[in-house]
Amino acid sequence: MATVTGTSTAYSTDMDSASGSNIIHRRAKSPNGTVNEAGKKSINRRTQRYKHVFPVHASSRTSCLSPGAENPPNFFGFRNLMVLMLIVSNLRLILENFRKYGVLVCLTCSEYRRQDISYGLILWLSVPIHLFIALLIELVAAQNALGVLKRKSNGNGGTKQAEQIRRRFRWTWYYIAWAHGINATLNLVVTSTIVYYRIHSPGIGMLCELHAIIVWLKACSYAFTNRDLRHAMLTTAPPDSIPELYRDSTYPNNITLQNLTYFWWAPTLVYQPVYPRTTHIRWLFVAKRVAEALGLVIVIWFASAQYAAPLLKNSLEKVFTLDIISIFERVMKLSTISLFCWLAGFYAGFQSALNALAEVMRFGDREFYSDWWNVTSIRTYWTSWNKPVYQFMKRHIYSPLVGRGVPPSVAQLLVFIFSGILHELLVGIPTHNIIDNPTGVAFFGMMGQIPLILLTDPLQKMEGRAPKVAGNVIFWISFCLIGQPLAAILYFSAWQAKYGGQAKLL
Amino acid sequence: MATVTGTSTAYSTDMDSASGSNIIHRRAKSPNGTVNEAGKKSINRRTQRYKHVFPVHASSRTSCLSPGAENPPNFFGFRNLMVLMLIVSNLRLILENFRKYGVLVCLTCSEYRRQDISYGLILWLSVPIHLFIALLIELVAAQNALGVLKRKSNGNGGTKQAEQIRRRFRWTWYYIAWAHGINATLNLVVTSTIVYYRIHSPGIGMLCELHAIIVWLKACSYAFTNRDLRHAMLTTAPPDSIPELYRDSTYPNNITLQNLTYFWWAPTLVYQPVYPRTTHIRWLFVAKRVAEALGLVIVIWFASAQYAAPLLKNSLEKVFTLDIISIFERVMKLSTISLFCWLAGFYAGFQSALNALAEVMRFGDREFYSDWWNVTSIRTYWTSWNKPVYQFMKRHIYSPLVGRGVPPSVAQLLVFIFSGILHELLVGIPTHNIIDNPTGVAFFGMMGQIPLILLTDPLQKMEGRAPKVAGNVIFWISFCLIGQPLAAILYFSAWQAKYGGQAKLL
């Protein structure tokens, strides 16, 4: 309560030397040479002979928190306090969980069915075959196009012949589109059927379904891109209609096994004959990213088994009684762990794993996400958190639709519906939740983004900081604090309703 | 996943008009006129005829979270998320508490003993009398000093006479100091004895003890300040040894009932004959501050009864078993509510109540605290959170000691020991915790500040942001996350050990 700096007196009076009495103060030593502001002022104004009369209250001042304070303080310290409180409150919950349940994580006790694993392996190996079938289709199409081109250069290129070429192309594309469609759809249908009826474990099922969707999207992009490239070749379109970047590998030189294999492994869903590449592989970078990804996956697995699983099981009773306050309480408790898993999973997937893969593939463009945590509108979130999917949707659905005159808002709605279907496939199929017990949470979750976009779009355009903070807070609340935990509870309760006899409640 | 802006094509080729085929895109309408950066680039580079060939991956880029990213993102959104998580986690705990205990707050069921209230009232009315006794002592001293001065002006002021005056003054001060000492000490001793043996309720006891300590400190300041003023008058010290501010009320003109009454009610512990004053009372300001203080007191009372009390009772078993992990877990759980009560209590007391009182008293200097939440060393905390006490310690203990040649570090240590004794009086006496069961937590808590100061002082002097953050974090952890809840548990457990039979455990 008393560390005072710089109250030294600059002069001494006759009294000082005359008497050693306890009334008279000796010359004060400057404690540490530094002088605080109040001290400085007082030294300038007068030297301190009588310590007990020092005018502490020398002028009128407001409290720094009062309205209209001269120097409102900053709150740097409260930011630190908040981080601390977050750490402390979660540390406490983890401790509480250990005391209640002991260690729940167990390497040997997860009983995956043998059937699940064998079907999973078969799917992982067979799904990419569809990409190579797409290559075969494209080879045929290219052959056909080259034939057309040959005949065209033989003829004199009258208007009549041009019309004929156009018609031929249209009819050829009709067959090629059907072939691609059947090939790609077969992939999705076969995988979904096997996952739904043969793979019990939702984890294995989701990995298979995710793989199938990725391959499906890649096959679609491959077909669409080559369709346009082929058309450009046939019509001898102006040279600037094909990007500069592709000049090294003009159609149909890009229809090769090597080119497709690169696209198969490249961390993108969008086919380009040529990608920006790096010059060499930094293996240390790869090792670091792989270590990050593995570490995070282990942490997420641990957190789910130790923390999320008992919580979800606890929450079920509440959901079945439909007690709103209880569900609300459970959602709030779940939000902490689901947020943690989401952030860790995002980092593991989009930063660590995709960067490691890109480095190995010497894939130059690493923008797999942008700073979605700062978004001030839900719209921006969906354009920034998952760039590979966003780029696919933009290039192969939204832009072509808008290009054909569909109003942008309708095109957007169609994209969201399509995306909702994909989300439902990804979650509903592995949890065996579409035919018997159609919850459709993932689908309707995606549809629910639309009103949120309409709500937050005006906020983003407003001036000042407050609407931006409001938009960001709406994003976090709707997406991470309510959306994800609520979806987790609903899917888990549907799962328990179906398999409740098999899985024991804690 | 797909909100795309600005992909309009600027020109149309012959193909566009020639055919309505689904291969050929119509001229795209600009969706909403705005063009994002990537869009702009692509438009400049080439017009988009073939939507499906758009080079999404046009150049090499790093992920924004990668080490060495060109534009590392800011984390504005995570700040918002943290605040949200703090609110959510506490809301959840409050909800849980209600479901477990129901409403625990009850206006009529707190059974204060009749004896507590009557003794409390007697103490509140009688304690200020000691201030008026101090006035009587000062009146006698002033009379005496005026007599000396008269004799001095009659004589010729030789060195012999000056020496005589000095001796006289010293002897007189000896008697006056004794009188003041007995008066002030009697106040503390009587109050402490009654609180310890007659007032059971720690709340009422603490209010009485706090009042007595405040009056005691004011009486000490009054005596010390007037001692110096008197000495200055007797020795005809150089005019600049008395602050400019006091010129309107020179000694002994300040020794009046009115002047003392103002000091009695002024929001300061440091006596000055004259204070900076405001011109008028803003009653709206007073009303707002009073409303704040009342509202916060109600909230704190509610939080304590509803939340802190059952938690403390729960914690006791753990403390008695001396299970370290359990105590740690309880301390963490308590830290949230104790931090809340501390922050709310600080605001209610130092911002709302003292500002209201200052406004009514037209007291100009409202610096009752500075921004202690930003401190980067524990030393600064103790000089900034409670300015009235700090100013007392600085003016009447630290500065005089240093002025007499005591090394600053020793003077500081003495201040901390003194402050520790006051803290122990304030907490130990009302909880009946000093004679039978001397825990001394408050005292040793104050002593524990010294090693923390030695630890954090170097951090404050270091350059850069990291040491400052570290210092601030050490402050929050030691003071709010560990210190206060630990002290609350220890005092409560000592209370239960003594009165366990009377107070039921939940």
Side-chain angles (χ1 to χ4, degrees), chain B residues 213-409:
Chain B
I213 290 175
I214 290 173
V215 168
W216 185 69
L217 291 173
K218 286 197 185 221
C220 291
S221 181
Y222 192 67
F224 283 130
T225 310
N226 281 317
R227 202 270 314 265
D228 271 12
L229 290 173
R230 191 160 56 245
H231 188 261
M233 178 184 78
L234 283 176
T235 57
T236 51
D240 65 350
S241 64
I242 295 299
E244 193 64 40
L245 185 69
Y246 304 169
R247 293 287 142 83
D248 290 344
S249 175
T250 48
Y251 189 86
N253 298 331
N254 65 314
I255 309 294
T256 64
L257 184 64
Q258 199 200 352
N259 185 288
L260 178 77
T261 310
Y262 185 82
F263 176 52
W264 174 25
W265 282 96
T268 178
L269 298 172
V270 162
Y271 176 69
Q272 293 180 194
V274 181
Y275 291 100
R277 300 287 290 274
T278 59
T279 52
H280 63 285
I281 303 174
R282 294 169 296 169
W283 286 106
L284 185 66
F285 181 91
V286 176
K288 281 182 187 169
R289 297 293 88 77
V290 168
E292 279 173 7
L294 281 181
L296 283 170
V297 164
I298 291 169
V299 166
I300 293 170
W301 171 65
F302 183 82
S304 314
Q306 180 69 32
Y307 195 80
L311 204 58
L312 272 171
K313 283 174 187 162
N314 276 338
S315 309
L316 273 199
E317 278 173 67
K318 313 281 165 97
V319 172
F320 287 135
T321 60
L322 291 176
D323 175 354
I324 293 295
I325 296 179
S326 294
I327 294 179
F328 184 59
E329 193 268 340
R330 285 289 105 174
V331 166
M332 285 201 287
K333 187 152 188 178
L334 266 172
S335 66
T336 312
I337 185 71
S338 87
L339 181 66
F340 171 79
C341 288
W342 159 246
L343 292 177
F346 170 81
Y347 196 91
F350 282 80
Q351 169 64 13
S352 307
L354 285 185
N355 261 297
L357 179 60
E359 188 68 27
V360 171
M361 297 301 290
R362 299 201 290 108
F363 189 82
D365 183 6
R366 311 285 169 91
E367 209 194 48
F368 305 117
Y369 56 89
S370 53
D371 58 339
W372 55 265
W373 47 87
N374 294 331
V375 297
T376 54
S377 113
I378 307 289
R379 178 195 297 275
T380 323
Y381 171 72
W382 290 107
T383 61
S384 47
W385 86 272
N386 184 338
K387 288 267 180 187
V389 167
Y390 163 67
Q391 287 157 348
F392 181 92
M393 299 288 182
K394 177 181 170 181
R395 193 168 93 158
H396 296 305
I397 302 184
Y398 180 86
S399 291
L401 283 176
V402 171
R404 283 172 192 209
V406 175
S409 56

Side-chain angles (χ1 to χ4, degrees), chain B residues 118-130 132 208 211 264:
Chain B
S118 32
Y119 272 111
L121 278 177
I122 292 170
L123 282 178
W124 267 80
L125 293 173
S126 64
V127 160
I129 292 172
H130 293 279
F132 295 96
C208 293
H211 183 214
W264 174 25

